[in-house]
Amino acid sequence: MTQHEDNTPADSGAFRPSRRIFLRGAVAGTAATAGVIATGAGAGAAAAAPGGFPDYRYVKPLLTPSQLKYNPTGEIIFPCIRGVYDRLANPLGRYYLYYAPHDAPGGICLAYGDKLEGPFTEYTANPLVSNNWQPHYKVSHVSSPHVLWNEDVKEMWLYFHGENHTTRLARSKDGITFTYDRTVLTKDMLPAGTTETSYARVFRHDLPARDARYVMLFMVNNQSNRRDVGWGWSKDGRTWTFAQQPLIRHSDVGVNNISGGHLLTRGGSTYVVYHTGKENGGNILITEVGNDFSRRNHLGVFYDSGSAAPENGRAAAPSFGTDRGVPYMVYEAGERLGGSIAVARG
């Protein structure tokens, strides 16, 4: 499985002192109860990250633009890892890794492999989805793929943006051939002055008080050019209601921009992890929102990016998976539009 029920995030790289240290004492009891251990070679007991999650340690790059056949812009972003071995008939590998270039023309791409630590093989007919899908749209670029396994209909549901102010949905029985469904989010569904609604991820999460079974996290920008994490909820994953105020504001955590929200659950509560711009440390932060999204408990640094390559001071857009019981984080490592897709192990 790749979408955690008891989500167990992880940290990367060799040990590096970080701002998480001051939080570890507060969550040590939770970590001990969870019985979390590190699985890397030579690793001892894993230190606890905020919320009782284990620390993730960088392992290796998985995809580098220069090594890809489909490489229109020399950059790739926004990985989404999904286990398909128990969901799809005759998949290419146990795991599907979706990603995309961002700049025009973009293109939703696929790589596949049998282990979350790789290797991953580029699909020969990328992109799966292009910036021109007639009669549905013709845009400068499509990017930021997030694929949800929809258990209700036994389909892979792909949410992606193009342009930056529009998020769309496509559906697939095999994770490769997609059928266009609809637009699910535009800037016009948010307050006047909103300029971007993109980088959406969708999760199966019950909100009984809102008659909802799915939650969407996305980046919202406005005329101030400061980015926040917005959110919405849906009964069916197709028709959405969106909060008119951000779930997490950049100012709440003292940075200029935040994006790449991912939902995690652990210890009976719900959390959102998201990244900051490199100018504010380039780290991944964590906020407890609670199961009903009523809390705003900002816990600090979830993953502290390293200064050495390939991170070069920036880790972003995390996606999480579990391989034979071992938790992993797949993420952007390096400068925005100039890095690779890497994996860290918990």
Side-chain angles (χ1 to χ4, degrees), residues 77-117:
I77 66 165
F78 213 77
C80 179
I81 190 72
R82 287 291 173 259
V84 295
Y85 54 89
D86 57 349
R87 292 167 171 168
L88 304 181
N90 302 313
L92 299 173
R94 288 175 58 85
Y95 300 96
Y96 279 8
L97 173 54
Y98 297 89
Y99 63 97
H102 180 271
D103 287 350
I108 307 305
C109 297
L110 171 68
Y112 55 91
D114 289 325
K115 297 180 180 179
L116 286 184
E117 291 192 21

Side-chain angles (χ1 to χ4, degrees), residues 145-166:
H146 178 84
V147 174
L148 167 77
W149 171 250
N150 190 311
E151 180 65 26
D152 296 339
V153 294
K154 302 294 191 292
E155 291 179 349
M156 306 289 276
W157 284 24
L158 166 67
Y159 298 85
F160 62 103
H161 82 246
E163 308 290 357
N164 287 344
H165 52 64
T166 301

Side-chain angles (χ1 to χ4, degrees), residues 136-137 139 159-169 180 182-200 216-222 230-232 238-244:
H136 310 297
Y137 62 76
V139 294
Y159 298 85
F160 62 103
H161 82 246
E163 308 290 357
N164 287 344
H165 52 64
T166 301
T167 296
R168 308 175 192 274
L169 168 63
Y180 186 82
R182 61 174 58 192
T183 294
V184 293
L185 170 63
T186 75
K187 64 181 178 62
D188 297 329
M189 298 175 183
L190 277 292
T194 300
T195 58
E196 293 180 82
T197 48
S198 53
Y199 301 102
M216 180 188 294
L217 304 175
F218 59 94
M219 186 195 77
V220 57
N221 191 13
N222 57 37
W231 76 296
R238 299 177 71 232
T239 302
W240 292 83
T241 301
F242 296 103
Q244 298 300 290

Side-chain angles (χ1 to χ4, degrees), residues 34 58 82 146 156 158 201 204 225 252 254-255 279 301 314 339 345:
Y58 167 76
R82 287 291 173 259
H146 178 84
M156 306 289 276
L158 166 67
R201 294 194 189 273
R204 177 73 177 85
N225 203 31
D252 293 341
V255 300
E279 73 279 6
V301 177
R314 181 178 179 271
R345 180 174 56 223

